[in-house]
Amino acid sequence: MTDWFELARDYETTMIQTRRYLHQYPELSFEEYHTHEYILSKLHDLSCEVQQPVGRNGIVATFKGHGDGPTIALRADFDALPIEEARESHYQSRNSGVSHACGHDGHTAILLSLAEILEAHKDQLNGNVVLIFQHGEELMPGGAQEMTEAGCLEGIDRIYGNHLWSGYPTGTIYSRSGAMMASPDEFNIAIHGRGGHGAKPHETIDPVVVMAEFILSAQKIVTRTIDPVKHAVISFGMVQAGSADNVIPDSAYCRGTVRVFDTDIQAHIKYKMEKLLQGLAVANDITYDFEYIRGYLPVDNNHECYETIKHAAQDLNLIYHDSDLMMIGEDFSYYQTVKPGGFFLTGCGNEQKDTMHPHHSPYFDIDEAALKYALSTFLKILDLENVFENEEA
């Protein structure tokens, strides 16, 4: 019987080298042209069928088996973030203002090494393996939607994805059945009043005060109109108004996010925000603009896929836990609307290596020892899905 963990450990150095190269040349969502070409160069000498571009920059590599086993897809994303890297290293980002502050460089390195393993063991393939290298995960509408609409899941039985996670310790695997990650909606609001001198507020319609009232009242949508056992968050990330201390501006602006797991609650929050703005308009003689952008659907793991992930980790003697519900978003959810899918987190947080910083932090980095845990879990998933021949038969 193949020792998948030992096999993954054999590729650890290769994965680290690949990950560090990608880390030096990060590219923003939907602009990943160099990364796209790099992935193609790594697949060039392998016997897989390569489709590209799928969507704008996506790549699909298919390894075909010789039996009647299932067709299993594995996905990695490869875009970066508009964040200036503050952490110093010899593999630091060379692209100003852009960095792999979320671990997607590691995801791609894992899947490229998995491609090499599939090539080396292609005679053992009973089923087919489809490797989905996805662009644009960080920016809505997301590359998953583009790639799915381009047909990347045609003929697929199940799909699995992984995310390296600094909030969990290295060597651990986390997943859960059903809802796992939230829908990350966005909203933009402008409140228009009538500006004037700060010493004569009675001659103005102050949009700043109305905006402050809206921000405070919006919190009651969650705390007083939604069942406390449900999960919802409204957060304001940007508020802007005015340019001088003694001038009441004409307009005030805010942007924020709504996170939910339930589409009915999502619709309820949008409705209540709109009603609140309508009431403020009547009470204060303001006008407003309200844009609500629905984000990715919640990541919702198929129960059988979840069981496969859990058993894979346990069979490898890795530390497995059911994850908490998470208010982050992930466009892997789009694949799950088309095919049964399972998503898991591989811990890469290590206090001694200073890799506990949160995702999207300028100090973010991963414990590269985590790469082999994710790779071995993917391999064991394929084994449990009967993609590989039973060596004992």
Side-chain angles (χ1 to χ4, degrees):
M1 181 178 293
T2 303
D3 188 329
W4 299 114
F5 183 76
E6 286 302 318
L7 182 57
R9 183 147 55 184
D10 290 342
Y11 285 80
E12 184 170 26
T13 299
T14 299
M15 284 189 289
I16 291 172
Q17 291 173 344
T18 300
R19 181 257 166 174
R20 291 185 179 185
Y21 176 84
L22 292 169
H23 194 87
Q24 292 178 77
Y25 301 100
E27 295 174 297
L28 295 175
S29 305
F30 301 103
E31 300 176 13
E32 315 94 331
Y33 306 112
H34 174 78
T35 308
H36 176 97
E37 293 302 315
Y38 177 80
I39 294 169
L40 286 179
S41 71
K42 291 293 186 179
L43 298 173
H44 182 268
D45 294 328
L46 306 182
S47 59
C48 53
E49 294 181 4
V50 177
Q51 297 172 269
Q52 64 84 30
V54 181
R56 259 175 277 190
N57 289 328
I59 299 168
V60 175
T62 302
F63 289 83
K64 291 190 173 181
H66 51 75
D68 58 358
T71 299
I72 304 299
L74 306 176
R75 171 268 206 168
D77 40 15
F78 57 79
D79 56 330
L81 287 156
I83 296 173
E84 183 71 32
E85 186 170 12
R87 185 186 184 104
E88 295 184 1
S89 67
H90 66 272
Y91 52 87
Q92 191 170 357
S93 171
R94 298 184 182 184
N95 295 341
S96 178
V98 185
S99 66
H100 271 295
C102 202
H104 296 187
D105 48 349
H107 302 167
T108 303
I110 292 163
L111 218 59
L112 285 173
S113 281
L114 197 146
E116 292 186 37
I117 291 172
L118 291 173
E119 179 72 14
H121 295 263
K122 59 187 176 183
D123 292 341
Q124 299 175 29
L125 285 180
N126 179 52
N128 308 313
V129 182
V130 177
L131 304 182
I132 296 175
F133 295 91
Q134 183 204 309
H135 62 294
E137 188 278 329
E138 295 286 1
L139 188 65
M140 288 192 290
Q145 179 175 341
E146 287 190 354
M147 295 190 72
T148 301
E149 291 175 350
C152 74
L153 294 184
E154 291 180 4
I156 300 297
D157 293 304
R158 294 180 181 178
I159 180 169
Y160 292 89
N162 160 71
H163 206 302
L164 297 166
W165 200 250
S166 65
Y168 292 141
T170 301
T172 58
I173 302 293
Y174 284 75
S175 188
R176 66 182 291 129
S177 181
M180 180 175 175
M181 295 179 179
S183 176
D185 298 351
E186 299 174 3
F187 60 83
N188 303 301
I189 296 170
I191 290 178
H192 308 293
R194 184 175 67 244
H197 201 291
K200 296 184 176 183
H202 59 290
E203 296 179 355
T204 72
I205 300 174
D206 190 340
V208 177
V209 173
V210 178
M211 179 64 80
E213 186 175 353
F214 172 77
I215 292 171
L216 292 174
S217 296
Q219 302 306 313
K220 292 188 290 185
I221 296 173
V222 173
T223 63
R224 290 298 178 267
T225 73
I226 294 173
D227 187 337
V229 303
K230 304 290 186 180
H231 301 272
V233 169
I234 300 176
S235 292
F236 292 82
M238 184 274 280
V239 181
Q240 291 182 346
S243 58
D245 66 293
N246 61 347
V247 178
I248 293 173
D250 285 322
S251 299
Y253 306 90
C254 74
R255 298 179 63 185
T257 185
V258 173
R259 305 290 171 120
V260 298
F261 296 95
D262 186 311
T263 54
D264 289 339
I265 293 177
Q266 180 187 54
H268 171 81
I269 290 175
K270 180 177 182 293
Y271 170 78
K272 284 294 189 180
M273 292 177 77
E274 181 82 52
K275 293 294 286 185
L276 179 56
L277 287 166
Q278 290 172 358
L280 290 169
V282 172
N284 297 279
D285 294 323
I286 56 97
T287 60
Y288 66 88
D289 301 311
F290 178 41
E291 180 184 25
Y292 191 98
I293 304 166
R294 291 182 183 271
Y296 309 143
L297 292 170
V299 171
D300 196 329
N301 284 334
N302 172 272
H303 184 72
E304 291 183 359
C305 293
Y306 152 78
E307 289 286 352
T308 300
I309 292 168
K310 180 179 179 179
H311 290 154
Q314 292 174 339
D315 289 353
L316 291 165
N317 294 318
L318 303 182
I319 299 171
Y320 174 83
H321 295 287
D322 276 0
S323 74
D324 295 328
L325 285 170
M326 309 178 81
M327 283 296 180
I328 59 172
E330 234 288 352
D331 78 340
F332 184 84
S333 59
Y334 200 85
Y335 300 118
Q336 294 175 312
T337 66
V338 181
K339 298 290 183 178
F343 197 72
F344 65 94
L345 303 173
T346 302
C348 66
N350 186 322
E351 189 171 353
Q352 293 181 340
K353 296 181 181 180
D354 192 29
T355 62
M356 304 292 289
H357 297 282
H359 292 248
H360 296 204
S361 161
Y363 295 96
F364 176 83
D365 201 358
I366 66 170
D367 178 2
E368 293 168 324
L371 299 172
K372 61 180 176 291
Y373 297 110
L375 176 57
S376 61
T377 302
F378 269 145
L379 288 167
K380 188 61 184 180
I381 286 170
L382 294 177
D383 186 15
L384 292 174
E385 287 282 11
N386 297 314
V387 170
F388 293 105
E389 289 181 338
N390 187 343
E391 297 176 6
E392 297 177 356

